[in-house]
Amino acid sequence: MSVQLSVLYFASLRDAAGRAEETVLCDAVDLRGLYAGLQARHGFTLPVERLRVAVDGEFARWSDAPRAGSEVALIPPVSGG
């Protein structure tokens, strides 16, 4: 069963996707599967182990199931100073 999600991209992921956010239909069983599908679609090169994921403003685990209507933020490592 597919669920509709809003996905937010930051830093290098935003650059690779060419957008800051998008609405997607997801049929993955977990957030890791969601990222794998988005990685294939947008050509993301970062492995999931280098990213953080948040759902509805709270950090989540990659093994968590996507929930319909949620906002999923994909957060790559950032440099700064």
Side-chain angles (χ1 to χ4, degrees):
M1 179 173 141
S2 295
V3 295
Q4 185 170 317
L5 306 168
S6 175
V7 180
L8 305 179
Y9 302 112
F10 295 94
S12 61
L13 296 178
R14 180 183 56 230
D15 294 342
R19 64 190 73 183
E21 64 183 281
E22 70 178 320
T23 300
V24 300
L25 284 176
C26 173
D27 58 3
V29 298
D30 59 17
L31 296 172
R32 181 179 300 269
L34 167 66
Y35 179 69
L38 295 170
Q39 191 174 30
R41 179 188 305 174
H42 295 299
F44 299 148
T45 58
L46 287 171
V48 72
E49 296 81 17
R50 302 244 353 252
L51 302 173
R52 296 290 310 263
V53 63
V55 176
D56 297 329
E58 300 285 333
F59 284 113
R61 294 180 304 267
W62 288 107
S63 59
D64 291 345
R67 295 185 314 258
S70 289
E71 179 182 80
V72 177
L74 300 175
I75 307 163
V78 295
S79 61

